[in-house]
Amino acid sequence: MLQALDPPAKTLDEFVKQVLPADILSSKNIKIEGPRDSGRARQQGSVSSQEGFSESQLISRLREIASGNKVYRSYIGCGYAGTRTPEVIKRNVLENPAWYTSYTPYQPEISQGRLESLLNFQTMVTDLTALSIANASVLDEPTAAAEAMTLSVNALPANRLKREKKVFFVSHLCHPQTIAVLESRAQGFGITIEVGDVLKDSSKRVEEIGEDLVGVLAQYPDTLGGVEDFRGLADKIHELKATFSVATDLLALTVLTPPGEFGADVAFGNAQRFGVPFGFGGPHAAFFACSEKHKRKIPGRLVGLSKDRLGDPAARLALQTREQHIRREKATSNICTAQALLANMSAFYAVYHGPRGLKRIAQKVINTARVVQEGVHRLGFETKGEGRVLFDTVVISGPDKLSAQSLVSQAAEDFQINLRLIDEGHVGITVDETVEKKDIEDILDFFGKASGRSETLDVEQIAKDIGITADGTPSDIPETLLRKSPYLTHPVYNSHHSETEILRYMHHLQSKDLSL
């Protein structure tokens, strides 16, 4: 390569000097760590090496470095929750090059398997959100929120687009990272982000914004675990010809009324808790669904069913709004990656568990949160909101002598538990499918010691006292918030619930594709 260059270069270093401006070129020699061969080198730590590590040596060294990490139980929430990735999905999708090298289905002729899996993802999202169309995933939840804002602007009538002021009204109970990304993205579009209580005084602020309103965003369930009825808000937004977007949780929608049934135009959120582990921070695949009237403005990739030259059903990318071959000014989205591998994992998670399995997981999460809520009450703490928690998050305030910061620090130091610091007076706990009896005991043990009580609470007795059973949705969820419509009724979600069955299905799909 060096010999073919013009002007020629004798070494790679000389080539780099030709290409990079001198003012940004570092004069330091890079010290490449190498294996610690001798006892003396081991005592001194890593050594510099011309060759670096071999692959096996590097893996060993990285494990050594990683062993210094302290892995705590995390109950921070904010849209992220622990999940159990079924081993059959981990081994045969996440760790399988037939899936992880070929997840972008640009050529439908050699991509029918992964296209079908992404179609399963889309169907899962439309069923759970009760909206008519969904895309084949997006980057993450905050990015999806920014796309919902952009869609809301594009959906405005022509005369409203020319207005000098455009306001996107965001609930103060959205996740903080979502609000942060919206505020950053809005600057480039000339949109004003207003953060406030979208339901206060019967949504009076929505009426006050009036014709300047681009759209409204609410979180359901919200960042503090609350679940509200947004029907009245949706009506007011639509009277102003604006768009109503809802950030939501797919697992919650197996139990709670879906956004499409209370007037949402757009629903989006994070699909992480459907079988995708935290992965040291993500990002994780998000989902994005909308009503029929917005289908040509939906961002990202959309898989549709068509016919091949023989008249047989064939999947392909449809209504493409942003790919390499589309001119920039024609694009309605700035999405570059759809996290398609992780979307496939979430799709297989739904196929594997099916509607009954997903609902059982949701019921377990609600029941776990309620046991934690009752337990901390008995230890002298208060929780936010009226009545029992409706999904996965409990917000706790303690006796006056205990600050939230001290609770968070003490939980981490003494119990290896990460709590969420909400404000000076409140901490949050978000539970998930991985939380077992021992975890609940540890949580209650911590709050007991923090309040100066020596009593040990019996978790099973608490569950019994508040009427929790292993099966069955809690009976006190309000009628207006309780889901009654069916979901995931297609045979694909009701046929592959054993490891053998889903393994055959995975192989059936992967055998249709050509990959690396």
Side-chain angles (χ1 to χ4, degrees), residues 3 36 79 108 130 173 255 292 299 349 352 369 405 437 440 459 505:
Q3 291 173 353
R36 289 171 282 182
L173 295 174
V255 173
E292 184 75 19
Y349 182 88
Y352 185 58
Q405 182 63 67
K437 179 185 172 187
I440 302 172
V459 169
Y505 180 58

Side-chain angles (χ1 to χ4, degrees), residues 214-355:
V214 167
V216 175
L217 172 61
Q219 189 95 36
Y220 175 88
D222 66 47
T223 195
L224 302 182
V227 182
E228 303 291 345
D229 185 352
F230 291 117
R231 286 177 174 85
L233 171 63
D235 291 340
K236 290 192 175 183
I237 294 166
H238 294 147
E239 283 170 15
L240 291 166
K241 294 184 170 52
T243 303
F244 182 31
S245 300
V246 175
T248 189
D249 183 303
L250 292 176
L251 192 65
L253 298 184
T254 64
V255 173
L256 302 176
T257 303
E261 292 179 13
F262 59 69
D265 302 296
V266 173
F268 64 85
N270 189 350
Q272 175 268 321
R273 78 186 306 160
F274 271 31
V276 181
F278 286 139
F280 211 65
H284 302 87
F287 60 90
F288 193 104
C290 65
S291 56
E292 184 75 19
K293 69 177 180 179
H294 295 305
K295 68 182 179 185
R296 294 198 173 272
K297 298 181 179 68
I298 193 169
R301 302 185 185 114
L302 191 73
V303 178
L305 271 182
S306 186
K307 289 183 178 178
D308 65 14
R309 62 188 179 84
L310 301 174
D312 296 322
R316 65 181 178 86
L317 291 177
L319 295 174
Q320 293 173 70
T321 51
R322 178 63 184 266
E323 298 295 347
Q324 283 94 326
H325 57 276
I326 292 181
R327 292 203 304 276
R328 193 171 188 175
E329 68 274 13
K330 298 275 187 186
T332 60
S333 161
N334 71 343
I335 286 175
C336 299
T337 175
Q339 298 289 349
L341 172 66
L342 304 183
N344 283 329
M345 287 180 67
S346 292
F348 281 122
Y349 182 88
V351 169
Y352 185 58
H353 286 292

Side-chain angles (χ1 to χ4, degrees), residues 137-293:
S137 76
V138 286
L139 180 64
D140 60 7
E141 184 169 338
T143 305
E147 296 292 346
M149 177 179 68
T150 308
L151 182 149
S152 301
V153 172
N154 291 334
L156 287 173
N159 61 325
R160 294 266 289 280
L161 271 171
K162 296 174 183 173
R163 292 182 75 88
E164 190 173 332
K165 190 173 184 183
K166 300 183 187 72
V167 177
F168 193 64
F169 190 24
V170 180
S171 169
H172 65 302
L173 295 174
C174 287
H175 295 314
Q177 69 271 22
T178 298
I179 296 173
V181 170
L182 282 170
E183 288 174 339
S184 173
R185 187 72 67 85
Q187 294 171 9
F189 288 94
I191 299 168
T192 301
I193 297 291
E194 183 172 324
V195 180
D197 188 341
V198 296
L199 294 177
K200 187 179 180 182
D201 298 330
S202 301
S203 305
K204 185 180 178 184
R205 183 59 190 143
V206 171
E207 296 172 5
E208 290 172 350
I209 297 170
E211 293 276 297
D212 290 335
L213 186 69
V214 167
V216 175
L217 172 61
Q219 189 95 36
Y220 175 88
D222 66 47
T223 195
L224 302 182
V227 182
E228 303 291 345
D229 185 352
F230 291 117
R231 286 177 174 85
L233 171 63
D235 291 340
K236 290 192 175 183
I237 294 166
H238 294 147
E239 283 170 15
L240 291 166
K241 294 184 170 52
T243 303
F244 182 31
S245 300
V246 175
T248 189
D249 183 303
L250 292 176
L251 192 65
L253 298 184
T254 64
V255 173
L256 302 176
T257 303
E261 292 179 13
F262 59 69
D265 302 296
V266 173
F268 64 85
N270 189 350
Q272 175 268 321
R273 78 186 306 160
F274 271 31
V276 181
F278 286 139
F280 211 65
H284 302 87
F287 60 90
F288 193 104
C290 65
S291 56
E292 184 75 19
K293 69 177 180 179

Side-chain angles (χ1 to χ4, degrees), residues 76 223-224 384 393-396 404 408 419-429:
I76 295 171
T223 195
L224 302 182
K384 205 175 182 74
T393 299
V394 185
V395 176
I396 301 164
V408 169
L419 303 178
R420 178 181 172 191
L421 179 64
I422 293 172
D423 56 35
E424 291 179 5
H426 297 89
V427 296
I429 292 179

